């Protein structure tokens, strides 16, 4: 099969398309013939070789976690999927997912049936980002209807799904991005928009119940400052929460790591099927343009998601 192989940790020049053996599945796994795979910032961070994730790989290094495709083979212990099912999921995160490939072996527990309303490209764009947004807002953020929630970087891969899920859960939602993304963020259902290049959130906002910060060091202290006492700050891109809590000891501040879950995807499927959650794919690229995809992600200027196909 064809796969995008990284010859060594470092820059995008180390990527090439190569023929590699098809994976052999274990009893609890299925083999997915991949129609599209997604990319996330975690991919380029892993590519550099400096993240803890990088140490878990052996050669040939195949990056990526997000896939959508059709089941080609089913392990002997798998009862909930059959050959021919269209599925999507985040495979094995944060262990190697080997997703930049024509075939991927995935634990059945990491997949869900693809909603029929989603294309394979949209489904491949979703898993890591949508699981992150869902777990941040519900499992960690405990968002309740009527609460005011700020989503920092509302136009990004995670943020654009966070805005829609927060809205679907009954929140009053404020999103931040630069002005070129205002119409997009409002189209997702945001009640208010703050252009961070023109205004600070501290000038515009205060007394919020929840902040979902997907932007990181640039925004985290502003995020903390606009919460009410006992408000919740859930971060995915900034880890030094002790510094945040020194500034605002009266809030709950937590950095989370997404976990894989076919069950969460099945819950999320209902929002997709009800039309409350749309996945924005800004570009579909051929697999041999993986370097371009990584470089665009590293710019931190992409809107929605980029996916690739063989
Ligand atoms: N901990 C976890 O489990 C987890 C899970 C997923 C992602 N992450 C991390 O979370 C971060 C976001 O991921 P992502 O996939 O959503 O990234 P992304 O798609 O690359 O985010 C890009 C977006 O961020 C916006 N942005 C950049 N700087 C901003 C700022 N200062 N204020 C407001 N918006 C800003 C940009 O809008 P403009 O172009 O308008 O500036 C752009 O649309 C990454 O660092 C990623 O590694 C962590």
């Amino acid at each position: 099969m064809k796969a995008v192989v990284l010859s060594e940790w470092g820059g995008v020049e180390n990527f090439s398309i190569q023929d590699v053996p098809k994976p052999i599945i274990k009893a609890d796994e299925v083999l997915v013939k991949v129609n599209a795979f997604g990319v996330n910032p975690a991919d380029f961070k892993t590519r550099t070789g400096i993240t803890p994730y990088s140490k878990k790989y052996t050669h040939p290094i195949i990056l990526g976690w997000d896939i959508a495709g059709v089941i080609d083979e089913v392990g002997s212990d798998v009862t909930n999927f059959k050959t021919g099912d269209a599925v999507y999921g985040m495979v094995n995160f944060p262990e190697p997912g080997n997703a930049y490939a024509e075939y991927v072996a995935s634990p059945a527990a990491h997949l869900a049936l693809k909603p029929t309303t989603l294309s394979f490209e949209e489904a491949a764009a979703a898993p890591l980002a949508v699981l992150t947004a869902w777990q941040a807002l519900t499992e960690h953020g405990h968002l309740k209807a009527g609460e005011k929630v700020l989503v920092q970087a509302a136009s990004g891969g995670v943020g654009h799904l966070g805005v829609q899920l927060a809205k679907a859960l009954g929140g009053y939602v404020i999103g931040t991005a630069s002005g070129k993304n205002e119409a997009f963020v409002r189209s997702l259902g945001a009640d208010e928009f703050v252009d961070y290049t023109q205004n600070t959130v501290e000038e515009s906002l205060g007394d919020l119940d929840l902040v979902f910060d997907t932007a990181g060091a640039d925004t985290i202290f502003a995020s903390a400052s606009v919460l009410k006492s006992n408000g919740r700050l859930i971060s995915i891109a900034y880890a030094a929460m002790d510094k945040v809590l020194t500034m605002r000891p009266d809030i709950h501040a937590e950095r989370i790591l997404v976990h894989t879950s076919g069950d969460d995807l099945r819950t999320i499927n209902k929002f997709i099927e009800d039309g409350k959650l749309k996945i924005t794919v800004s570009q579909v690229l051929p697999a041999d343009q993986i370097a371009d995809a990584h470089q665009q992600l590293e710019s931190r200027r992409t809107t929605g998601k980029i996916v690739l196909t063989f």
Side-chain angles (χ1 to χ4, degrees), residues 232-273:
R232 290 100 67 200
L233 171 56
I234 306 299
S235 164
I236 57 169
Y238 182 81
M241 283 305 163
D242 49 335
K243 290 187 190 157
V244 175
L245 287 166
T246 301
M247 181 189 126
R248 282 295 306 263
D250 59 326
I251 63 167
H252 169 84
E254 183 184 355
R255 190 259 180 176
I256 66 159
L257 185 66
V258 64
H259 59 86
T260 192
S261 171
D263 286 340
D264 280 358
L265 285 178
R266 278 181 275 282
T267 304
I268 291 162
N269 276 356
K270 295 192 183 68
F271 292 92
I272 294 170
E273 285 156 359

Side-chain angles (χ1 to χ4, degrees), residues 3-4 8 17-19 48 67 75 92 110 129 134 166 172 198 204 219 245 263 267 282 286 302:
V4 178
E8 57 184 293
I17 307 279
Q18 292 185 20
D19 283 310
T48 63
I67 57 162
N92 278 331
H110 299 181
W134 175 254
Y172 179 91
Q198 302 296 320
S204 321
T219 54
L245 287 166
D263 286 340
T267 304
S282 59
T302 55

Side-chain angles (χ1 to χ4, degrees), residues 39-42 44-45 53 93 128-129 132 152-160 176-181 194 196-197 213-216 218-219 235-237 255-259 296-298 300-305:
V39 287
N40 292 284
F44 73 71
K45 294 174 187 176
Y53 317 130
F93 185 86
L128 190 149
T132 304
Q152 292 273 28
S155 49
V158 179
H160 90 285
T176 66
S178 67
K180 71 178 190 309
N181 282 316
V194 178
Y196 70 90
T197 66
D213 192 316
T214 79
D218 294 344
T219 54
S235 164
I236 57 169
R255 190 259 180 176
I256 66 159
L257 185 66
V258 64
H259 59 86
Q296 287 194 53
L297 269 185
E298 287 184 72
R300 297 182 65 206
R301 294 279 81 79
T302 55
T303 299
K305 297 286 302 180

Side-chain angles (χ1 to χ4, degrees), residues 35 70 139 195:
N35 288 50
V70 175
E139 193 178 315
D195 175 351

Side-chain angles (χ1 to χ4, degrees), residues 199-215:
N199 303 101
T200 64
V201 294
E202 299 96 309
E203 285 165 353
S204 321
L205 305 170
D207 222 24
L208 304 185
D209 299 288
L210 176 65
V211 179
F212 178 28
D213 192 316
T214 79

